[in-house]
Amino acid sequence: MKNQIQFRLQTAILVVLAVLSLQASAQQWTPKQANDWYKSQPWLVGSNFMPASAINQLEMWQAESFDPKTIDKELGYAEKLGMNTMRVFLHDMVWRQDAKGFKNRIDQFLSLCAKHNIKPMLVLFDSCWDPQPKLGKQHAPVMGRHNSGWVQGPGAAILGDKSKWESLRSYVKDIVGSFRADKRILAWDIVNEPDNDNANSYGRNGKIKTELPNKAQLGTELVKAGFGWAREAKPTQPITSGPWKGDWSSLEKMDDMNRFLVQNSDVITFHNYGKPDDFKKRVADLKKFGRPLICTEYMARPAGSTFEGSLPIAKAENVGMMNWGFVSGKSNTIYPWDSWQKQYTAEPPVWFHDIFRENGQPYIPAETAFIKKMTGKK
């Protein structure tokens, strides 16, 4: 009996020590660690990347539609602009279908990035657009509709059923753990816009009402869980997830999710589609937290968010920048957000996002010349 008690006590002590060891090795970076890491990077400039041949994350990563030739070509366009990073979305369904094959394709993609001197930020989950993703052949783009085929990951079937979240934990731990020390990766973005309810597309104001009614709450819970899962994998790269709306002027004025993001991210990321004055204010709000800043979404020309307006401010403030949209293709992001309410039957007079036409020609040559000037690319 005495031996059994001693054994159980020793086992309990070992469990506690293991938990403490895990927590010690998986803590948020200190501001000094984060700033030292950032000093070792060049000024980060890039795009959110989806090859023109893919309508969404599934089409980009599934074996039958993975397109390294197009990816290689388009990353070459980025290198010529002086871009050195890309933000790239993964998907849990592709991992669940074929984890080994998916990781092999990620490795191939990272090799293509390294060939063009680009270190991508990989996004594990996304709360935007279609909440009902389906594996296999993806539907054709809807004419004139912005992101008519982009899908959420996880979809509503898993997000709304917490008994299935263990598979999400396994996905995060496998992907992050497999590439935890890969120097070709810049950082991990846990969830894109976790509480986005897609009100005007698949949500309450849209024609396709398939969004979960408690989506914002579930998204907030998912990003909190996701940070924990990623830290369990002990990545050597920083982890982050960025606020995209709300008041960021102080912790007291932030909602629960934004407060969690700025207090738990190793480097602070954020989205801003506002005019230069608004962008500058957002930067000032977030600089108070003493960590490196990377804007992971900006540039919507008709909304007043442009390369010419935002990049000079970012360079002066040493803020990394990743615009939305690179080569115009199946994503249809040359069309504006209101294309979910209005019908566009021809190319819009001003492109909303994207830099290049599919043949590699710049949409606005003066704009690409300006980007090169900012990055110092001759």
Side-chain angles (χ1 to χ4, degrees):
M1 185 69 174
K2 183 179 178 181
N3 289 340
Q4 286 181 337
I5 293 173
Q6 287 178 332
F7 175 76
R8 289 174 183 171
L9 182 60
Q10 288 171 347
T11 302
I13 291 171
L14 287 173
V15 169
V16 171
L17 289 175
V19 170
L20 291 174
S21 175
L22 176 63
Q23 290 175 340
S25 62
Q27 294 296 315
Q28 180 192 26
W29 288 6
T30 65
K32 183 180 186 307
Q33 286 174 307
N35 285 303
D36 286 347
W37 171 85
Y38 196 61
K39 287 174 186 174
S40 70
Q41 310 301 322
W43 179 44
L44 297 169
V45 180
S47 287
N48 283 260
F49 181 78
M50 175 68 56
S53 57
I55 194 172
N56 59 27
Q57 314 93 303
L58 299 178
E59 195 161 46
M60 177 175 178
W61 291 111
Q62 289 181 119
E64 59 271 24
S65 49
F66 183 63
D67 188 0
K69 184 177 179 181
T70 297
I71 291 170
D72 186 25
K73 177 181 70 175
E74 294 182 0
L75 291 177
Y77 302 160
E79 184 180 22
K80 288 179 181 177
L81 287 181
M83 288 183 168
N84 49 33
T85 188
M86 287 283 170
R87 184 169 178 247
V88 182
F89 291 72
L90 308 180
H91 204 285
D92 60 290
M93 289 181 76
V94 183
W95 173 84
R96 205 171 286 109
Q97 178 189 49
D98 175 18
K100 182 178 179 181
F102 185 30
K103 289 188 288 185
N104 285 340
R105 290 187 288 280
I106 293 173
D107 181 70
Q108 189 175 352
F109 174 76
L110 292 174
S111 294
L112 291 172
C113 285
K115 172 184 173 182
H116 295 288
N117 301 306
I118 287 168
K119 291 178 69 173
M121 175 183 290
L122 301 182
V123 187
L124 294 164
F125 297 115
D126 187 7
S127 289
C128 292
W129 308 108
D130 190 350
Q132 298 181 344
K134 297 177 180 63
L135 290 167
K137 184 174 175 60
Q138 302 299 294
H139 68 74
V142 177
M143 171 61 197
R145 183 178 290 175
H146 178 107
N147 266 330
S148 63
W150 195 276
V151 293
Q152 294 181 37
I158 293 179
L159 182 65
D161 184 353
K162 290 188 179 177
S163 69
K164 298 177 180 177
W165 281 28
E166 183 59 32
S167 71
L168 302 179
R169 177 175 180 265
S170 298
Y171 157 67
V172 172
K173 289 191 68 177
D174 187 26
I175 294 296
V176 177
S178 296
F179 297 95
R180 60 171 296 277
D182 198 316
K183 296 185 184 302
R184 297 172 297 178
I185 295 173
L186 180 75
W188 300 97
D189 191 340
I190 305 300
V191 188
N192 177 58
E193 300 188 355
D195 61 345
N196 194 323
D197 61 5
N198 297 289
N200 294 323
S201 53
Y202 296 89
R204 61 182 180 274
N205 303 329
K207 296 178 182 178
I208 313 172
K209 292 181 170 59
T210 52
E211 191 59 278
L212 292 168
N214 58 338
K215 168 68 178 303
Q217 176 191 340
L218 289 169
T220 300
E221 292 175 15
L222 176 66
V223 77
K224 290 180 177 182
F227 266 76
W229 300 333
R231 294 220 190 274
E232 286 178 36
K234 305 176 189 174
T236 58
Q237 310 94 342
I239 69 172
T240 185
S241 187
W244 62 286
K245 63 181 177 64
D247 188 336
W248 310 338
S249 58
S250 69
L251 288 174
E252 292 72 28
K253 292 181 179 179
M254 291 182 184
D255 62 21
D256 176 56
M257 191 197 75
N258 288 343
R259 193 179 304 113
F260 174 85
L261 297 181
V262 301
Q263 288 184 313
N264 288 272
S265 291
D266 296 323
V267 298
I268 293 176
T269 53
F270 67 100
H271 298 173
N272 181 265
Y273 289 105
K275 295 178 180 179
D277 286 348
D278 183 62
F279 177 76
K280 194 169 187 177
K281 181 184 183 305
R282 293 297 197 171
V283 169
D285 286 344
L286 295 175
K287 278 228 165 188
K288 299 172 186 174
F289 299 103
R291 292 180 178 272
L293 301 184
I294 303 173
C295 178
T296 49
E297 287 189 28
Y298 78 105
M299 212 289 285
R301 296 180 186 90
S305 177
T306 64
F307 293 108
E308 293 86 348
S310 298
L311 277 180
I313 298 169
K315 190 168 188 178
E317 297 287 348
N318 196 25
V319 175
M321 298 293 281
M322 301 180 191
N323 69 282
W324 190 274
F326 193 60
V327 176
S328 172
K330 284 187 172 183
S331 68
N332 274 353
T333 49
I334 65 171
Y335 299 95
W337 295 317
D338 71 6
S339 58
W340 282 83
Q341 283 75 46
K342 295 163 57 176
Q343 180 65 46
Y344 287 79
T345 57
E347 182 176 303
V350 179
W351 281 16
F352 202 69
H353 300 311
D354 299 336
I355 301 172
F356 291 100
R357 297 186 182 276
E358 205 164 341
N359 62 7
Q361 292 301 308
Y363 167 55
I364 304 175
E367 188 178 69
T368 52
F370 178 78
I371 296 170
K372 286 182 180 181
K373 179 181 177 182
M374 293 301 298
T375 62
K377 189 73 173 181
K378 295 180 180 178

